[in-house]
Structure formats: C-alpha cells, structure tokens
Amino acid sequence: MTPRAAWQAYRLRWKRRELIWRALRARHLLQPVADRTAAIRPADILAVTTLRNEIAHLPGFLDHYRRLGVAHFLIIDNAGTDGSDRFLAAQPDVSLWRCDASYREARFGLDWAGALLWRFGRGHWCATVDADELLVYPHHDTRPLPDLTAHLDRIGQPGLGAVMLDLYPSGPLGTADAPPEAPLTRRLPWFDAGPWRSSRAMPRQNLWLQGGVRDRVFFADAPRRAPTMNKLPLMRWTGRAVYVNSTHSILPPRLNLIYDGPGDARLSGALLHGKFLPDIVAKSHEELGRRQHFADPDAYADYHRAVAAGPRLHGPESVRFTGWRQLVDLGLIGTGDWPR
C-alpha cells in the first residue's frame, strides 16, 4: 500500500467511526411510539424506514415487504401530519419512533436509521428502504427474502445492489393510471430503461449511476445534478458498517464493490420507485418551503418547481413494466448463479 493509499484508508476508518458515533448520539432524538422490538427473533429479516407523510404508500409498502418475508419493520416518523403514525402504530409487526428534528441535519435521516441499525440490525439482514421503494429481484414472486439471503450467505455476498427505476403515469404528474387500491405498477406503469452512465467515486469506491426519466426530463441541461440511481438496500448488517449517502454508498469501502449497476451479471435487484404518485405535486410545493431534501436546496428549487407544474413524463423512451423477467432481459438486474 502506498503512503497515499494508507492515508486515505486511515481517513475512511475515522470517517466510518465518526458516522457510527453520530448514529449512536441520534438515538436520543427518537421518541418511541410503539416499541415491539422484543418480538424480533435472531433470524428475522428487518426493514428500516424513515418517512414523513407517506400514508398513500404505506398499505402497499407493508404488503409488499411482508410478502417478501420481512418479519419486523423499524420505522421513524419525521414529524408527519397525515395520520401515518396512527396507521403504523396499529400494525403488529411495526416498531415506530417519532422524531421532530431536522431531516437534513440528520444526514437526510441516515443518523436516525443508523441508530436503529446499530441497536437492532446487527447480525440481521436488513432492508433499508424508503416508503416509496419496492424491492424486486429475480424470482421475488416465488422465492422470498429468506431464500435470497441464504443464497447470498452461501456465496459470500454481504448485500444486494439495486438500480432505482422511477415509475410514472401515462398522463401528467398528479394523475395515475389506476385507483389508489391498485398495485403500484398499475398506477404508475411506465419507466425509462436507459441510457445509463456510471463511474466510481474515490476514495470510497462507491458507484455513481445516473439516468432514467428524471435525468431525461428535468436534468438534460445539467446532467451532473441528476439523481444517483444506484442503492445498496439489502445488507447483512454488522457493527462496522454505516451508510454515507442515503443507501447509495457505504463504509467500509469494499462493500460498495458488490454492485456495478445495469449490466452487472451478479445477482442484483431493482427498486421500483413510486415517487410520482398523484401527491407528488403537493409534496413538491411543500418542499420548496421546507428545503429538507438536498444539501443545497437553492440548486434544486427549479427541479421542484418543474415537478409541481405537473409535466407529462411519458414519451417515446417509455417502457411498460411487466415484471422481473423483463428487467433481466433488459440487463437492468442480474441473476448471477441464482438458480433459474
């Protein structure tokens, strides 16, 4: 190891310890609403989520991850006002905390999620996902998460990488193709299959993947500001790991190398992103005032205004979602040696 590489490794170790310490301190900000964590068993798969005013997503979110095999949900409600807290507190497999502190100052909720991962997630496979993200992977409809994680353990892969696919309606934003009780992929049946561009950011070696409909419609003139579309949502959690930038990157750095984005032949998944349900227009108006979702909110004000205007995203590039086999055929997710 060169002196420069040794110095970078030393700095990353201290960065990781600093972020873990932030999470440990952040646990004091979490006020328990419904604590059912005593029911967590050693082999349980957990889901960790930070949310605010996501009642439109929650029934479908819980149903999807229950069917996948999540045994317990650890959820932080960040000063919500839409009744999500009452709905979640009534769910027998949910432990709920409330936090009224700044989402942005908590590293966009990562400090709070890190506190729960440290306290309850160590030794478990944990899905750290947003309430508008549904994880799919090869055979997810017939092989639940316990089968997937057992396979990942056998091959020594400590997590599952995923591409984010923004789903959108046929009409303008603010509309949907099916009623609220319908599955997400009927309400928002379209996505962009590419193109994608990617690079590795040093020294963490994290993947930086960009592309998809938001890149096409909202950031064509400023592509470097387009959102990052890769995540590491499912990890076997240890006391040494910590997320750095949402679930886009993680420390130690070697964990970032388990996923190379679309075209990677290794086993991977996709996060079906329901951001563009009809309430997105009202949420974008709200975010212009709250300024909680970007490190530099002024730089993204035009984006929120554009979303709030309710544009139509559907175009010649649009592909109708049909299932995980389609994503394999498009090269968006890989199967590795996962038995077919």
Side-chain angles (χ1 to χ4, degrees), residues 282-295:
K283 285 185 174 182
S284 294
H285 280 294
E286 180 186 35
E287 182 53 29
L288 284 168
R290 291 188 72 241
R291 300 163 57 85
Q292 288 291 299
H293 279 84
F294 293 99

Side-chain angles (χ1 to χ4, degrees), residues 296-316:
D296 182 5
D298 291 334
Y300 291 89
D302 288 345
Y303 163 70
H304 285 295
R305 292 189 188 97
V307 172
R312 191 170 186 263
L313 307 186
H314 185 274

Side-chain angles (χ1 to χ4, degrees), residues 69 141 218 276:
D141 47 356
F218 300 112
F276 293 127

Side-chain angles (χ1 to χ4, degrees), residues 44-108:
D44 281 350
I45 295 173
L46 310 179
V48 179
T49 306
T50 300
L51 55 82
R52 183 179 187 276
N53 292 349
E54 297 287 7
I55 193 67
H57 292 280
L58 290 177
F61 171 84
L62 293 174
D63 178 66
H64 179 82
Y65 285 100
R66 284 168 177 157
R67 284 188 288 107
L68 285 187
V70 167
H72 201 88
F73 297 84
L74 307 171
I75 299 182
I76 302 146
D77 177 24
N78 180 210
T81 58
D82 69 348
S84 294
D85 55 347
R86 294 188 296 276
F87 174 80
L88 291 168
Q91 306 300 314
D93 52 358
V94 170
S95 290
L96 177 66
W97 290 261
R98 182 176 177 89
C99 185
D100 294 336
S102 167
Y103 179 77
R104 181 151 60 106
E105 291 179 7
R107 293 195 303 126
F108 308 102

Side-chain angles (χ1 to χ4, degrees), residues 192-329:
D192 279 26
W196 305 97
R197 57 188 184 277
S198 65
S199 60
R200 288 277 173 188
M202 302 302 290
R204 294 198 304 268
Q205 304 180 69
N206 53 295
L207 181 67
W208 186 20
L209 177 72
Q210 294 176 293
V213 66
R214 280 184 284 171
D215 181 272
R216 169 171 62 87
V217 175
F218 300 112
F219 295 95
D221 295 331
R224 289 187 62 83
R225 287 187 177 175
T228 303
M229 302 302 289
N230 58 283
K231 287 195 169 184
L232 299 170
L234 181 67
M235 302 295 297
R236 175 175 277 285
W237 206 253
T238 73
R240 299 185 67 248
V242 64
Y243 284 119
V244 180
N245 174 26
S246 181
T247 58
H248 302 306
S249 65
I250 195 170
L251 291 173
R254 59 180 174 78
L255 296 177
N256 291 307
L257 301 177
I258 65 173
Y259 181 56
D260 281 334
D264 189 343
R266 291 174 293 179
L267 181 57
S268 62
L271 287 168
L272 305 182
H273 193 198
K275 179 182 182 70
F276 293 127
L277 283 179
D279 61 356
I280 184 60
V281 172
K283 285 185 174 182
S284 294
H285 280 294
E286 180 186 35
E287 182 53 29
L288 284 168
R290 291 188 72 241
R291 300 163 57 85
Q292 288 291 299
H293 279 84
F294 293 99
D296 182 5
D298 291 334
Y300 291 89
D302 288 345
Y303 163 70
H304 285 295
R305 292 189 188 97
V307 172
R312 191 170 186 263
L313 307 186
H314 185 274
E317 304 86 350
S318 303
V319 178
R320 182 180 286 274
F321 180 82
T322 61
W324 65 262
R325 289 178 176 83
Q326 172 196 40
L327 302 185
V328 172
D329 291 341

